[in-house]
Amino acid sequence: MYSSDKNGFKEAVYTLVEAIPPGRATSYGAIARAIGYPTMSRMVGKIMSCCEESGRDLPAHRVVNSQGQLSGHTAFGDAGEMQLLLEKEGITVRNNRICGWKRVFWDPLYEL
DNA sequence: CCGATGACAAGCA
DNA sequence: ATGCTTGCCATCG
């Protein structure tokens, strides 16, 4: 079931997201780009919404958009749950936005 | 089958 | 800096 390509893509996303070190965060585009699909940023988001269903412990709260803004409020709950998780990890979040985004930004292409 | 939507990103005015 | 438009793939009505 499902094409092997998509399966491989999802697997790659899971691996990268799970490889995100604590206190760090990355963007959808960075992940997609690291895999080799710079235009699949949207797909990453969809996969993320299914991350818990995938049977893996993916720190999806560490994955935000390219601006360092928390966008997963729809999946986590608009109560700022995601923000709390990030702050717990040591990341400073303000108004649904990561403080010092460039500082906490984790680029798999550069660091991995 | 077609249209609309979605945890996005990049380009342009 | 802000807002609009396009691209990409998958899912739903």
Side-chain angles (χ1 to χ4, degrees):
Chain A
M1 58 206 285
Y2 310 134
S3 308
S4 15
D5 277 26
K6 293 181 303 191
N7 195 5
F9 179 74
K10 277 202 312 187
E11 191 185 322
V13 174
Y14 295 143
T15 305
L16 272 169
V17 173
E18 198 171 351
I20 301 175
R24 294 271 201 215
T26 187
S27 58
Y28 306 96
I31 295 173
R33 205 175 310 163
I35 297 169
Y37 294 84
T39 62
M40 299 282 254
S41 46
R42 259 181 157 144
M43 304 293 87
V44 177
K46 259 177 260 305
I47 295 167
M48 296 265 88
S49 55
C50 208
C51 66
E52 303 256 340
E53 309 274 323
S54 304
R56 280 194 158 90
D57 186 18
L58 296 180
H61 54 272
R62 291 185 196 149
V63 185
V64 296
N65 59 354
S66 60
Q67 296 180 47
Q69 297 182 273
L70 282 57
S71 10
H73 52 81
T74 45
F76 274 90
D78 349 321
E81 208 173 309
M82 192 172 177
Q83 177 175 339
L84 203 65
L85 284 167
L86 286 169
E87 290 189 310
K88 236 165 82 162
E89 297 280 317
I91 299 176
T92 308
V93 179
R94 189 73 166 181
N95 190 15
N96 245 28
R97 188 187 69 193
I98 294 181
C99 276
W101 167 232
K102 48 186 246 179
R103 187 172 53 197
V104 299
F105 179 58
W106 181 75
D107 190 347
L109 280 176
Y110 184 75
E111 311 226 18
L112 193 60

PDB file of all heavy atoms in Angstrom, chain A residues 16-41:
ATOM      1  N   LEU A  16      14.664  12.759  10.501  1.00  0.00           N
ATOM      2  CA  LEU A  16      15.232  14.079  10.730  1.00  0.00           C
ATOM      3  C   LEU A  16      14.604  14.756  11.945  1.00  0.00           C
ATOM      4  O   LEU A  16      15.286  15.305  12.787  1.00  0.00           O
ATOM      5  CB  LEU A  16      15.013  14.944   9.491  1.00  0.00           C
ATOM      6  CG  LEU A  16      16.137  14.797   8.462  1.00  0.00           C
ATOM      7  CD1 LEU A  16      15.753  15.458   7.163  1.00  0.00           C
ATOM      8  CD2 LEU A  16      17.415  15.427   9.016  1.00  0.00           C
ATOM      9  N   VAL A  17      13.292  14.686  12.033  1.00  0.00           N
ATOM     10  CA  VAL A  17      12.596  15.329  13.149  1.00  0.00           C
ATOM     11  C   VAL A  17      13.026  14.703  14.468  1.00  0.00           C
ATOM     12  O   VAL A  17      13.269  15.396  15.447  1.00  0.00           O
ATOM     13  CB  VAL A  17      11.074  15.197  12.979  1.00  0.00           C
ATOM     14  CG1 VAL A  17      10.351  15.718  14.204  1.00  0.00           C
ATOM     15  CG2 VAL A  17      10.621  15.941  11.739  1.00  0.00           C
ATOM     16  N   GLU A  18      13.149  13.417  14.447  1.00  0.00           N
ATOM     17  CA  GLU A  18      13.552  12.720  15.673  1.00  0.00           C
ATOM     18  C   GLU A  18      15.004  13.026  16.004  1.00  0.00           C
ATOM     19  O   GLU A  18      15.430  12.910  17.138  1.00  0.00           O
ATOM     20  CB  GLU A  18      13.362  11.208  15.480  1.00  0.00           C
ATOM     21  CG  GLU A  18      13.332  10.482  16.808  1.00  0.00           C
ATOM     22  CD  GLU A  18      12.936   9.036  16.630  1.00  0.00           C
ATOM     23  OE1 GLU A  18      12.521   8.657  15.525  1.00  0.00           O
ATOM     24  OE2 GLU A  18      13.034   8.289  17.600  1.00  0.00           O
ATOM     25  N   ALA A  19      15.762  13.444  14.991  1.00  0.00           N
ATOM     26  CA  ALA A  19      17.186  13.733  15.189  1.00  0.00           C
ATOM     27  C   ALA A  19      17.384  15.157  15.705  1.00  0.00           C
ATOM     28  O   ALA A  19      18.500  15.560  16.004  1.00  0.00           O
ATOM     29  CB  ALA A  19      17.926  13.539  13.871  1.00  0.00           C
ATOM     30  N   ILE A  20      16.314  15.914  15.833  1.00  0.00           N
ATOM     31  CA  ILE A  20      16.432  17.286  16.323  1.00  0.00           C
ATOM     32  C   ILE A  20      16.837  17.268  17.795  1.00  0.00           C
ATOM     33  O   ILE A  20      16.142  16.699  18.617  1.00  0.00           O
ATOM     34  CB  ILE A  20      15.104  18.039  16.173  1.00  0.00           C
ATOM     35  CG1 ILE A  20      14.685  18.061  14.700  1.00  0.00           C
ATOM     36  CG2 ILE A  20      15.237  19.452  16.704  1.00  0.00           C
ATOM     37  CD1 ILE A  20      13.319  18.696  14.502  1.00  0.00           C
ATOM     38  N   PRO A  21      17.960  17.871  18.123  1.00  0.00           N
ATOM     39  CA  PRO A  21      18.445  17.894  19.505  1.00  0.00           C
ATOM     40  C   PRO A  21      17.561  18.785  20.366  1.00  0.00           C
ATOM     41  O   PRO A  21      16.958  19.742  19.861  1.00  0.00           O
ATOM     42  CB  PRO A  21      19.858  18.480  19.377  1.00  0.00           C
ATOM     43  CG  PRO A  21      19.841  19.270  18.106  1.00  0.00           C
ATOM     44  CD  PRO A  21      18.835  18.615  17.209  1.00  0.00           C
ATOM     45  N   PRO A  22      17.470  18.510  21.668  1.00  0.00           N
ATOM     46  CA  PRO A  22      16.654  19.302  22.585  1.00  0.00           C
ATOM     47  C   PRO A  22      17.185  20.731  22.683  1.00  0.00           C
ATOM     48  O   PRO A  22      18.380  20.956  22.627  1.00  0.00           O
ATOM     49  CB  PRO A  22      16.799  18.572  23.929  1.00  0.00           C
ATOM     50  CG  PRO A  22      18.032  17.731  23.794  1.00  0.00           C
ATOM     51  CD  PRO A  22      18.159  17.416  22.345  1.00  0.00           C
ATOM     52  N   GLY A  23      16.279  21.652  22.817  1.00  0.00           N
ATOM     53  CA  GLY A  23      16.688  23.047  22.890  1.00  0.00           C
ATOM     54  C   GLY A  23      16.918  23.632  21.507  1.00  0.00           C
ATOM     55  O   GLY A  23      17.378  24.746  21.373  1.00  0.00           O
ATOM     56  N   ARG A  24      16.592  22.880  20.498  1.00  0.00           N
ATOM     57  CA  ARG A  24      16.771  23.365  19.126  1.00  0.00           C
ATOM     58  C   ARG A  24      15.462  23.218  18.366  1.00  0.00           C
ATOM     59  O   ARG A  24      14.554  22.493  18.772  1.00  0.00           O
ATOM     60  CB  ARG A  24      17.850  22.555  18.424  1.00  0.00           C
ATOM     61  CG  ARG A  24      19.176  22.806  19.065  1.00  0.00           C
ATOM     62  CD  ARG A  24      19.847  24.012  18.396  1.00  0.00           C
ATOM     63  NE  ARG A  24      21.271  23.919  18.659  1.00  0.00           N
ATOM     64  CZ  ARG A  24      22.029  24.987  18.862  1.00  0.00           C
ATOM     65  NH1 ARG A  24      21.513  26.179  18.774  1.00  0.00           N
ATOM     66  NH2 ARG A  24      23.283  24.839  19.120  1.00  0.00           N
ATOM     67  N   ALA A  25      15.376  23.850  17.209  1.00  0.00           N
ATOM     68  CA  ALA A  25      14.163  23.753  16.392  1.00  0.00           C
ATOM     69  C   ALA A  25      14.545  23.907  14.928  1.00  0.00           C
ATOM     70  O   ALA A  25      15.612  24.408  14.613  1.00  0.00           O
ATOM     71  CB  ALA A  25      13.181  24.839  16.809  1.00  0.00           C
ATOM     72  N   THR A  26      13.702  23.458  14.064  1.00  0.00           N
ATOM     73  CA  THR A  26      13.972  23.554  12.628  1.00  0.00           C
ATOM     74  C   THR A  26      12.689  23.907  11.887  1.00  0.00           C
ATOM     75  O   THR A  26      11.609  23.909  12.476  1.00  0.00           O
ATOM     76  CB  THR A  26      14.559  22.232  12.109  1.00  0.00           C
ATOM     77  OG1 THR A  26      14.960  22.397  10.771  1.00  0.00           O
ATOM     78  CG2 THR A  26      13.573  21.107  12.227  1.00  0.00           C
ATOM     79  N   SER A  27      12.817  24.140  10.610  1.00  0.00           N
ATOM     80  CA  SER A  27      11.651  24.553   9.828  1.00  0.00           C
ATOM     81  C   SER A  27      11.244  23.463   8.839  1.00  0.00           C
ATOM     82  O   SER A  27      12.043  22.596   8.505  1.00  0.00           O
ATOM     83  CB  SER A  27      11.965  25.844   9.078  1.00  0.00           C
ATOM     84  OG  SER A  27      13.087  25.651   8.249  1.00  0.00           O
ATOM     85  N   TYR A  28      10.044  23.504   8.372  1.00  0.00           N
ATOM     86  CA  TYR A  28       9.535  22.515   7.420  1.00  0.00           C
ATOM     87  C   TYR A  28      10.377  22.532   6.145  1.00  0.00           C
ATOM     88  O   TYR A  28      10.761  21.481   5.628  1.00  0.00           O
ATOM     89  CB  TYR A  28       8.081  22.827   7.078  1.00  0.00           C
ATOM     90  CG  TYR A  28       7.202  22.936   8.286  1.00  0.00           C
ATOM     91  CD1 TYR A  28       6.909  24.169   8.849  1.00  0.00           C
ATOM     92  CD2 TYR A  28       6.698  21.787   8.895  1.00  0.00           C
ATOM     93  CE1 TYR A  28       6.114  24.269   9.964  1.00  0.00           C
ATOM     94  CE2 TYR A  28       5.899  21.877  10.007  1.00  0.00           C
ATOM     95  CZ  TYR A  28       5.607  23.126  10.545  1.00  0.00           C
ATOM     96  OH  TYR A  28       4.825  23.224  11.653  1.00  0.00           O
ATOM     97  N   GLY A  29      10.648  23.713   5.664  1.00  0.00           N
ATOM     98  CA  GLY A  29      11.413  23.835   4.434  1.00  0.00           C
ATOM     99  C   GLY A  29      12.799  23.238   4.594  1.00  0.00           C
ATOM    100  O   GLY A  29      13.312  22.591   3.688  1.00  0.00           O
ATOM    101  N   ALA A  30      13.424  23.458   5.757  1.00  0.00           N
ATOM    102  CA  ALA A  30      14.771  22.928   5.992  1.00  0.00           C
ATOM    103  C   ALA A  30      14.750  21.411   5.939  1.00  0.00           C
ATOM    104  O   ALA A  30      15.628  20.791   5.344  1.00  0.00           O
ATOM    105  CB  ALA A  30      15.261  23.413   7.358  1.00  0.00           C
ATOM    106  N   ILE A  31      13.760  20.808   6.540  1.00  0.00           N
ATOM    107  CA  ILE A  31      13.638  19.351   6.544  1.00  0.00           C
ATOM    108  C   ILE A  31      13.432  18.852   5.119  1.00  0.00           C
ATOM    109  O   ILE A  31      14.132  17.968   4.645  1.00  0.00           O
ATOM    110  CB  ILE A  31      12.460  18.921   7.427  1.00  0.00           C
ATOM    111  CG1 ILE A  31      12.744  19.292   8.887  1.00  0.00           C
ATOM    112  CG2 ILE A  31      12.220  17.425   7.306  1.00  0.00           C
ATOM    113  CD1 ILE A  31      11.545  19.051   9.789  1.00  0.00           C
ATOM    114  N   ALA A  32      12.475  19.441   4.437  1.00  0.00           N
ATOM    115  CA  ALA A  32      12.167  19.024   3.071  1.00  0.00           C
ATOM    116  C   ALA A  32      13.420  19.168   2.201  1.00  0.00           C
ATOM    117  O   ALA A  32      13.743  18.296   1.408  1.00  0.00           O
ATOM    118  CB  ALA A  32      11.035  19.880   2.526  1.00  0.00           C
ATOM    119  N   ARG A  33      14.134  20.243   2.390  1.00  0.00           N
ATOM    120  CA  ARG A  33      15.326  20.513   1.602  1.00  0.00           C
ATOM    121  C   ARG A  33      16.400  19.478   1.918  1.00  0.00           C
ATOM    122  O   ARG A  33      17.105  18.992   1.041  1.00  0.00           O
ATOM    123  CB  ARG A  33      15.844  21.914   1.933  1.00  0.00           C
ATOM    124  CG  ARG A  33      16.648  22.519   0.819  1.00  0.00           C
ATOM    125  CD  ARG A  33      17.023  23.951   1.158  1.00  0.00           C
ATOM    126  NE  ARG A  33      15.844  24.695   1.586  1.00  0.00           N
ATOM    127  CZ  ARG A  33      15.900  25.841   2.240  1.00  0.00           C
ATOM    128  NH1 ARG A  33      17.053  26.372   2.547  1.00  0.00           N
ATOM    129  NH2 ARG A  33      14.811  26.463   2.576  1.00  0.00           N
ATOM    130  N   ALA A  34      16.542  19.151   3.194  1.00  0.00           N
ATOM    131  CA  ALA A  34      17.565  18.192   3.614  1.00  0.00           C
ATOM    132  C   ALA A  34      17.296  16.825   2.984  1.00  0.00           C
ATOM    133  O   ALA A  34      18.213  16.086   2.646  1.00  0.00           O
ATOM    134  CB  ALA A  34      17.561  18.092   5.137  1.00  0.00           C
ATOM    135  N   ILE A  35      16.030  16.499   2.829  1.00  0.00           N
ATOM    136  CA  ILE A  35      15.670  15.219   2.233  1.00  0.00           C
ATOM    137  C   ILE A  35      15.923  15.235   0.732  1.00  0.00           C
ATOM    138  O   ILE A  35      16.215  14.231   0.119  1.00  0.00           O
ATOM    139  CB  ILE A  35      14.191  14.915   2.505  1.00  0.00           C
ATOM    140  CG1 ILE A  35      13.970  14.791   4.019  1.00  0.00           C
ATOM    141  CG2 ILE A  35      13.772  13.638   1.816  1.00  0.00           C
ATOM    142  CD1 ILE A  35      12.496  14.766   4.378  1.00  0.00           C
ATOM    143  N   GLY A  36      15.783  16.424   0.156  1.00  0.00           N
ATOM    144  CA  GLY A  36      16.016  16.531  -1.271  1.00  0.00           C
ATOM    145  C   GLY A  36      14.782  17.031  -2.004  1.00  0.00           C
ATOM    146  O   GLY A  36      14.724  17.042  -3.217  1.00  0.00           O
ATOM    147  N   TYR A  37      13.775  17.436  -1.237  1.00  0.00           N
ATOM    148  CA  TYR A  37      12.532  17.948  -1.828  1.00  0.00           C
ATOM    149  C   TYR A  37      12.231  19.343  -1.265  1.00  0.00           C
ATOM    150  O   TYR A  37      11.421  19.481  -0.359  1.00  0.00           O
ATOM    151  CB  TYR A  37      11.376  17.003  -1.517  1.00  0.00           C
ATOM    152  CG  TYR A  37      11.521  15.661  -2.188  1.00  0.00           C
ATOM    153  CD1 TYR A  37      12.273  14.638  -1.622  1.00  0.00           C
ATOM    154  CD2 TYR A  37      10.881  15.426  -3.410  1.00  0.00           C
ATOM    155  CE1 TYR A  37      12.401  13.411  -2.237  1.00  0.00           C
ATOM    156  CE2 TYR A  37      11.006  14.204  -4.034  1.00  0.00           C
ATOM    157  CZ  TYR A  37      11.765  13.192  -3.443  1.00  0.00           C
ATOM    158  OH  TYR A  37      11.878  11.983  -4.067  1.00  0.00           O
ATOM    159  N   PRO A  38      12.864  20.370  -1.785  1.00  0.00           N
ATOM    160  CA  PRO A  38      12.714  21.728  -1.274  1.00  0.00           C
ATOM    161  C   PRO A  38      11.293  22.244  -1.424  1.00  0.00           C
ATOM    162  O   PRO A  38      10.924  23.214  -0.773  1.00  0.00           O
ATOM    163  CB  PRO A  38      13.693  22.548  -2.122  1.00  0.00           C
ATOM    164  CG  PRO A  38      13.914  21.726  -3.360  1.00  0.00           C
ATOM    165  CD  PRO A  38      13.725  20.305  -2.961  1.00  0.00           C
ATOM    166  N   THR A  39      10.501  21.598  -2.250  1.00  0.00           N
ATOM    167  CA  THR A  39       9.142  22.092  -2.471  1.00  0.00           C
ATOM    168  C   THR A  39       8.118  21.300  -1.673  1.00  0.00           C
ATOM    169  O   THR A  39       6.931  21.532  -1.790  1.00  0.00           O
ATOM    170  CB  THR A  39       8.799  21.989  -3.955  1.00  0.00           C
ATOM    171  OG1 THR A  39       8.836  20.614  -4.330  1.00  0.00           O
ATOM    172  CG2 THR A  39       9.769  22.759  -4.800  1.00  0.00           C
ATOM    173  N   MET A  40       8.582  20.380  -0.847  1.00  0.00           N
ATOM    174  CA  MET A  40       7.661  19.516  -0.118  1.00  0.00           C
ATOM    175  C   MET A  40       7.374  20.046   1.277  1.00  0.00           C
ATOM    176  O   MET A  40       6.990  19.293   2.163  1.00  0.00           O
ATOM    177  CB  MET A  40       8.257  18.129  -0.020  1.00  0.00           C
ATOM    178  CG  MET A  40       8.472  17.526  -1.387  1.00  0.00           C
ATOM    179  SD  MET A  40       6.948  16.922  -2.053  1.00  0.00           S
ATOM    180  CE  MET A  40       7.181  15.174  -1.865  1.00  0.00           C
ATOM    181  N   SER A  41       7.601  21.313   1.510  1.00  0.00           N
ATOM    182  CA  SER A  41       7.392  21.888   2.837  1.00  0.00           C
ATOM    183  C   SER A  41       5.989  21.576   3.331  1.00  0.00           C
ATOM    184  O   SER A  41       5.763  21.288   4.495  1.00  0.00           O
ATOM    185  CB  SER A  41       7.592  23.386   2.776  1.00  0.00           C
ATOM    186  OG  SER A  41       6.903  23.903   1.658  1.00  0.00           O
TER     187      SER A  41
END
